[in-house]
Amino acid sequence: MTQPRQFVVEADGGSRGNPGPAGYGAVVIDPVTGETLAEAAEYIGVATNNVAEYKGLIAGLKAAKALVPDASADGALQVRVRMDSKLVVEQMSGRWKIKHPDMKPLAAEAARILPASAVTYEWIPREMNKHADRLANEAMDAGKRGKQWEPSASTASLDTPRSSAASALPPVSGPPGDAAAGAAKARAALAARPAAASPAALQVGWGAAPDLGAPATFVLLRHGETALTPEKRFSGSGGSDPELSAAGRHQAECIARSLADRGTVEEIVSSPLRRCRETAAAVAARLGLEVRIEEGLRETDFGAWEGLTFAEVRERYGADLDAWLASAKVAPTGGGESFAEVARRVSATRDRLTTRYAGRTVLLVTHVTPIKTLVRLALGAPPEAMFRMELSAASVSAVAYYADGNASVRLLNDTSHLR
């Protein structure tokens, strides 16, 4: 009996804005020699990360199939797909339900390329998927210049047989009205642009000008409830460091499922306090990501007010409370932090993280005061705006930070995932 050909397919996709200018990359590898057999990459216009990742998978499977004449026959080919998208791997493996309407036709298309018995899926960390990631970025860079992707000089110089699958393969189809339509619009805009116009002059939808690059997008998640939350007690970084309650653990699972369905989060950073670490761990388990701890995301130290209700503070420390409400420079009783001090800490943390995660979508699991501070600073609002925002337990907000220093508040206090 003839042994099946065996290939490894590594695929990736990305979107600079999510949705925004997007592209995918895929590579077919000989698992024995490590030889690159085929590459595929394409700029697909305006799309989400999920769409780009699925299109990378489809292109990789098609490239593998093209290398084996009778690939559709049972037993002719075995493909091991390796991707850093937990969402795609789990959905294509049948362990996660595909809910999003844009994902269903893409998953169905991927499943039709080869017999189900011929393909297995494996999640790998991002650092192990560098080849496909590089191809995806090359495709996006080419698209920004109004060109089609071609193998880079470094790729072309490798003495390994390969095919330039981007030009040899038929285009990857997508659901009507999503990325395919976006790609067509972007190409039409490029074609219609006057010859003297710079590529940087093209703007796609609501995104930033291409020369600014993709923003660092912070998805701001307030931790789930603790026993103190429904009682509205001051709970900062100077108190008992409570764990999540049963309700809080349920909330963490709800948001974890929601973020897994969206598939946009690439990194997770958490406050060091227990309630945030537990919330972040629930999300990380779903997304297959690690959690980085950031001290600057901890909650305000409320000093002697820790564990007390507002009414109890009013009764015991009335004058101090009035002064605190009147000025961001006043700290709570007993050596806590003022909002001005918190703002300095949070803004320094913001600057570090926006530099570290430029162009990426990062989940920050933190607390009421840091989230309200980030939103206030993004809006250029005065300190008293802190008292005019509602921020529920396990709610999601989002702010995008651009290279020119501008910020855009995209979401505030979303709790739809808890309904």
Side-chain angles (χ1 to χ4, degrees), residues 260-300:
D261 287 343
R262 296 179 192 181
T264 55
V265 170
E266 301 171 279
E267 308 280 351
I268 302 176
V269 182
S270 173
S271 156
L273 299 185
R274 184 175 181 178
R275 52 199 183 272
C276 286
R277 289 188 285 108
E278 290 177 345
T279 304
V283 178
R286 284 271 183 175
L287 301 186
L289 298 174
E290 296 182 355
V291 179
R292 181 191 294 269
I293 301 300
E294 172 56 59
E295 178 68 24
L297 294 178
R298 61 181 171 82
E299 181 57 291
T300 307

Side-chain angles (χ1 to χ4, degrees), residues 44 46-48 50-52 54-55 58 98 100-110 112 171-184:
I44 58 175
V46 178
T48 64
N50 286 345
V51 167
Y54 261 109
K55 290 198 171 204
I58 291 167
I98 304 173
H100 199 287
D102 289 353
M103 301 301 107
K104 290 181 179 179
L106 292 172
E109 182 178 358
R112 289 193 297 267
V172 180
S173 62
D178 73 346

Side-chain angles (χ1 to χ4, degrees), residues 56 136 153 166 191 211 224 234 264 278 312 361:
D211 59 331
F234 283 93
T264 55
E278 290 177 345
E312 288 169 340
T361 299

Side-chain angles (χ1 to χ4, degrees), residues 5-192:
R5 292 288 304 275
Q6 296 187 0
F7 297 143
V8 170
V9 168
E10 295 178 354
D12 198 11
S15 171
R16 294 172 178 172
N18 201 33
Y24 66 75
V27 57
V28 182
I29 301 169
D30 186 314
V32 176
T33 65
E35 181 180 37
T36 297
L37 303 176
E39 291 179 335
E42 184 183 10
Y43 172 68
I44 58 175
V46 178
T48 64
N49 282 337
N50 286 345
V51 167
E53 287 164 343
Y54 261 109
K55 290 198 171 204
L57 167 64
I58 291 167
L61 291 174
K62 287 184 175 180
K65 181 179 180 180
L67 295 172
V68 179
D70 58 346
S72 296
D74 285 338
L77 177 63
Q78 286 290 324
V79 175
R80 180 158 58 103
V81 175
R82 293 156 45 96
M83 298 181 69
D84 61 53
S85 170
K86 185 77 168 176
L87 178 78
V88 174
V89 168
E90 293 298 317
Q91 288 182 343
M92 292 303 299
S93 298
R95 292 185 289 269
W96 288 3
K97 185 177 180 180
I98 304 173
K99 299 179 180 178
H100 199 287
D102 289 353
M103 301 301 107
K104 290 181 179 179
L106 292 172
E109 182 178 358
R112 289 193 297 267
I113 297 169
L114 292 168
S117 60
V119 187
T120 59
Y121 291 88
E122 175 187 349
W123 177 84
I124 56 174
R126 181 173 296 275
E127 58 268 20
M128 295 177 63
N129 202 26
K130 291 182 178 179
H131 192 151
D133 177 72
R134 173 176 58 78
L135 294 175
N137 278 286
E138 286 179 358
M140 286 184 278
D141 290 342
K144 187 171 72 173
R145 297 191 298 269
K147 299 180 179 180
Q148 293 294 319
W149 173 83
E150 296 179 359
S152 66
S154 59
T155 299
S157 67
L158 295 174
D159 291 328
T160 54
R162 60 166 51 82
S163 65
S164 179
S167 57
L169 295 174
V172 180
S173 62
D178 73 346
K185 290 179 181 178
R187 286 192 290 269
L190 282 168

